[in-house]
């Protein structure tokens, strides 16, 4: 890790949530903390477009460099669904269209990316954790229709089209869940999945989209899955997966987010349940640039305050020193073009064309 970070550009590795549709005093205090690099929204933060736009404007007034994120993929994982937001299709629907007409599927995938990113950015959201690169083996309850296809070639090509559409609207992307969550049946939100395949098999199949897209992906999120033939730790806490495989072997140079550390599989390392702060520190040490802790602001927010205090203590004691490269990767995810307001977006040719494409293929409401 890099010591002696510039005072005006500290490493801000923590992504946290806020409690509701407007900021509380506690939210404002936490977002002003220099350790916080971003905020992730959920459905509870949504009332309508005007409210979301105002909420995000206030967040940016506190810290213009904060990365405002959301899990907004399409299908069942779409946080904002009313007040004009397009109901985006599942990624499986794009894979099914591919089997009928590959070129129309890539066109539709680009349209999904354009609509997804354009609508979010019009409301002040910077970044979505999409697309999913997991393969569809047919048995995963948590991945399921979120996956494009079983074939990694189809996954990579459709994902690249979605990513292209997002980028056209000024939004970066995040491939997940490295090296692959689709093979295991267990849901890492409530238990710890174990994938007993070896490294060679995983690299030849599930991880192939990350290899093929390594020059196009802006960010990657590892899986809360243990692959015991590679490492006893879940991928998000494994230097073997993140530093040796993702960085060195595949050559990925973008940002790496941990998955949500509040998930059941998010804090178990070597059989021990860690505190949120220790889990976040372990994720960063393994090779993540940023650590997410979600859904902890509701109520008194004590888990978030404990996380911030634990990181401050680690910094002051020298246990954690921050990383300039990680901070540069975080800042690179911020949009570098102005977003179109909703009225201008709704009248823009690219957005209208994308909506027509989705309507033609009966992929959106």
């Amino acid at each position: 890790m890099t010591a002696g970070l510039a005072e005006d550009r500290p490493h801000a590795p923590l992504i946290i949530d806020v409690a509701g549709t407007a900021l509380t005093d506690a939210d404002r205090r936490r977002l002003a903390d220099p350790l916080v690099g971003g905020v992730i929204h959920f459905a509870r933060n949504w009332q309508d477009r005007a409210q979301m736009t105002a909420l995000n404007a206030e967040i940016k007034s506190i810290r213009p460099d904060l990365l405002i994120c959301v899990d907004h993929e399409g299908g069942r994982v779409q946080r904002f669904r009313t007040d004009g937001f397009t109901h985006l299709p599942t990624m499986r629907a794009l894979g099914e269209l591919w089997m009928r007409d590959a070129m129309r599927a890539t066109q539709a995938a680009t349209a999904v990316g354009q609509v997804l990113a354009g609508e979010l950015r019009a409301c002040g959201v910077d970044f979505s954790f999409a697309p999913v690169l997991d393969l569809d083996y047919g048995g995963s309850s948590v991945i399921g229709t979120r996956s494009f296809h079983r074939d990694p070639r189809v996954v990579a090509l459709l994902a690249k089209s979605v990513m292209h559409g997002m980028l056209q609207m000024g939004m970066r992307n995040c491939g997940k869940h490295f090296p692959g969550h689709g093979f295991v049946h267990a849901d890492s939100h409530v238990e710890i999945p174990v994938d007993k395949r070896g490294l060679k098999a995983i690299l030849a199949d599930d991880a192939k989209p990350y290899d093929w897209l390594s020059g196009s992906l802006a960010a990657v999120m590892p899986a809360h899955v243990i692959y015991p033939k590679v490492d006893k730790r879940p991928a998000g806490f494994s230097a073997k997966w993140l530093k040796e495989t993702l960085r060195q072997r595949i050559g990925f140079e973008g940002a790496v987010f941990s998955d949500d550390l509040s998930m059941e599989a998010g804090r178990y390392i070597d059989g021990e349940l860690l505190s949120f702060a220790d889990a976040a520190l372990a994720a960063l040490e393994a090779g993540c640039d940023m650590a997410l802790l979600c859904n902890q602001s509701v109520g008194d927010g004590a888990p978030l305050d404990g996380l911030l205090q634990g990181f401050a203590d680690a910094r002051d004691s020298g246990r954690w020193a921050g990383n300039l490269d990680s901070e540069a990767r975080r800042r690179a995810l911020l949009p570098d073009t102005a977003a179109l307001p909703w009225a201008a977006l709704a009248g823009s040719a690219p957005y209208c064309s994308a909506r027509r494409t989705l309507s033609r293929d009966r992929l959106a409401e």
Side-chain angles (χ1 to χ4, degrees):
M1 292 184 177
T2 304
L5 292 172
E7 286 298 317
D8 61 338
R9 293 196 64 184
H11 183 191
L14 303 178
I15 310 295
I16 63 173
D17 62 304
V18 296
T21 56
L23 296 183
T24 66
D25 288 342
D27 291 327
R28 296 185 187 93
R29 170 177 54 80
R30 295 179 191 121
L31 293 175
D33 192 303
L35 289 167
V36 173
V39 60
I40 179 169
H41 288 319
F42 293 91
R44 70 170 186 275
N45 302 117
W46 168 264
Q47 177 179 311
D48 54 39
R49 288 188 282 113
Q51 166 271 325
M52 178 55 61
T53 304
L55 173 62
N56 290 329
E58 184 175 4
I59 290 170
K60 290 291 188 177
S61 74
I62 296 171
R63 291 260 307 283
D65 70 304
L66 287 172
L67 184 68
I68 301 177
C69 313
V70 68
D71 260 336
H72 197 88
E73 305 166 4
R76 73 175 188 269
V77 182
Q78 180 174 340
R79 305 305 185 198
F80 312 149
R81 295 174 174 269
T82 57
D83 198 15
F85 263 79
T86 303
H87 289 196
L88 296 168
T90 66
M91 298 306 98
R92 179 181 285 174
L94 293 172
E96 291 170 346
L97 179 58
W98 173 282
M99 301 305 293
R100 302 192 300 272
D101 188 329
M103 297 312 296
R104 283 183 67 166
T106 58
Q107 183 186 24
T110 301
V112 166
Q114 290 173 311
V115 172
L116 181 157
E119 292 179 351
L120 288 176
R121 290 208 62 208
C123 293
V125 176
D126 298 322
F127 185 79
S128 180
F129 292 106
V132 168
L133 300 183
D134 299 312
L135 306 188
D136 185 4
Y137 287 89
S140 172
S141 61
V142 69
I143 302 302
T145 59
R146 298 166 69 190
S147 171
F148 291 102
H149 206 273
R150 168 62 183 86
D151 189 331
R153 297 169 298 179
V154 178
V155 170
L157 289 170
L158 289 177
K160 190 169 187 178
S161 294
V162 171
M163 290 156 49
H164 179 61
M166 293 170 69
L167 190 59
Q168 286 181 312
M169 294 298 187
M171 181 177 285
R172 272 64 173 184
N173 56 71
C174 181
K176 58 187 185 183
H177 306 82
F178 177 79
H181 201 311
F183 188 79
V184 293
H185 290 200
D187 181 351
S188 55
H189 291 84
V190 295
E191 53 186 317
I192 305 175
V194 177
D195 187 334
K196 296 182 179 180
R197 295 175 299 163
L199 178 62
K200 183 177 180 180
I202 295 170
L203 289 179
D205 206 8
D206 296 61
K208 264 300 179 183
Y210 296 92
D211 186 5
W212 291 325
L213 298 175
S214 61
S216 304
L217 284 166
V220 164
M221 178 180 286
H224 280 329
V225 176
I226 297 175
Y227 309 84
K229 290 187 177 179
V230 180
D231 194 359
K232 63 182 179 180
R233 292 187 166 197
F237 299 106
S238 168
K240 289 183 180 179
W241 278 117
L242 300 183
K243 293 180 179 179
E244 295 179 19
T245 306
L246 182 61
R247 292 290 191 203
Q248 297 175 16
R249 185 164 185 164
I250 292 177
F252 177 67
E253 296 182 352
V256 178
F257 290 86
S258 81
D259 205 343
D260 178 13
L261 297 175
S262 72
M263 292 162 59
E264 182 67 22
R267 289 189 289 150
Y268 277 96
I269 303 179
D270 303 331
E272 179 184 358
L273 180 63
L274 303 183
S275 69
F276 289 131
D278 284 341
L281 287 163
L284 298 184
E285 183 63 32
C288 290
D289 299 300
M290 287 157 283
L292 276 77
L293 182 58
C294 304
N295 297 310
Q296 302 302 309
S297 61
V298 179
D300 63 7
L304 288 181
D305 293 330
L307 172 70
L308 293 172
Q309 186 60 56
F311 252 80
D313 292 344
R315 178 192 58 204
D316 295 344
S317 68
R319 181 183 173 195
W320 176 75
N323 187 301
L324 283 173
D325 291 336
S326 288
E327 177 61 13
R329 287 189 282 263
R330 182 189 74 83
R331 289 174 179 257
L333 300 177
L334 290 163
D336 51 17
T337 59
L340 289 177
W342 193 276
L345 174 73
S348 69
Y351 176 77
C352 292
S353 176
R355 290 266 302 178
R356 285 195 297 271
T357 295
L358 297 184
S359 177
R360 176 199 69 188
D361 293 314
R362 299 180 181 179
L363 291 172
E365 298 176 29

